[in-house]
Amino acid sequence: AYGPCEPTICINPANTNNVAAGAILDRYYWSDDGGRTWQSGKLKSSHGVFGDPVLVADSKGNFYYGHLSDPEGKQWSGEKLLDRIVIQKSTDGGKTYSDGAFCGNRHPKDQDKHWLATDPKTNDVFCTWTEFDVYGSHDLEKDHSRILFSKSTDGGENWSEPLKISQF
């Protein structure tokens, strides 16, 4: 039902001929010749995969693929599904990805609009995202959103408790 869209692309700083990309809902791509030719795969995770891909690389050349979750496989059915931000790691140039870890599992609130960054000196990985009390709510008196922050100091294996960096 979804063609590849909402692309993300990242160049490996340790080997600039190695490029990784992603697209919704669960596609990933890699190139070892600077983007002249590409291979592809389908991302899988026990935490679910549901689009909004974001790719970053650390200075060692590891790729981190962040995305929304769909743990129950319901896709966009109007039921709760945006329960966490999943980050999967590739240590082989984007050819394969780990099952992943996650931040922001704060049910029943929805987690969305994430972004990733890495520290080139420490290779810590950072994630920011928006948490919605009720996704799409127009009741501004009752329902709010906030910007949260989490970091991993162990290559994406574990994530800190979210910190609120903005109440809006």
Side-chain angles (χ1 to χ4, degrees):
Y2 296 96
C5 59
E6 297 185 8
T8 181
I9 191 165
C10 186
I11 298 171
N12 180 343
N15 172 6
T16 57
N17 281 322
N18 179 219
V19 185
I24 69 164
L25 286 170
D26 57 0
R27 293 173 169 94
Y28 69 93
Y29 309 87
W30 72 93
S31 172
D32 289 320
D33 60 9
R36 288 180 188 84
T37 61
W38 292 86
Q39 296 183 55
S40 64
K42 293 272 189 163
L43 204 60
K44 291 180 172 57
S45 171
S46 63
H47 308 297
V49 180
F50 194 69
D52 287 359
V54 176
L55 266 170
V56 296
D58 65 22
S59 65
K60 295 179 182 177
N62 298 308
F63 287 107
Y64 298 89
Y65 191 124
H67 56 81
L68 303 177
S69 70
D70 183 16
E72 298 174 7
K74 293 182 179 178
Q75 303 216 345
W76 197 259
S77 64
E79 298 178 39
K80 285 283 184 216
L81 70 114
L82 303 176
D83 68 341
R84 68 193 84 189
I85 306 300
V86 180
I87 301 95
Q88 295 181 245
K89 181 179 181 179
S90 175
T91 59
D92 62 3
K95 296 173 183 70
T96 62
Y97 286 85
S98 68
D99 186 56
F102 56 85
C103 54
N105 188 6
R106 294 160 51 103
H107 187 76
K109 299 179 186 317
D110 285 316
Q111 316 301 315
D112 197 4
K113 315 298 181 201
H114 56 285
W115 205 255
L116 300 175
T118 59
D119 182 318
K121 292 182 179 161
T122 65
N123 289 311
D124 291 347
V125 187
F126 309 102
C127 183
T128 60
W129 70 97
T130 303
E131 177 179 78
F132 297 89
D133 288 344
V134 177
Y135 197 91
S137 174
H138 295 289
D139 186 345
L140 300 179
E141 295 296 318
K142 179 180 156 203
D143 300 320
H144 304 283
S145 64
R146 64 215 51 81
I147 306 299
L148 299 176
F149 167 88
S150 184
K151 79 175 187 175
S152 174
T153 59
D154 61 3
E157 293 292 320
N158 297 286
W159 291 84
S160 66
E161 284 297 313
L163 297 173
K164 181 171 67 172
I165 59 175
S166 174
Q167 64 183 7
F168 302 105

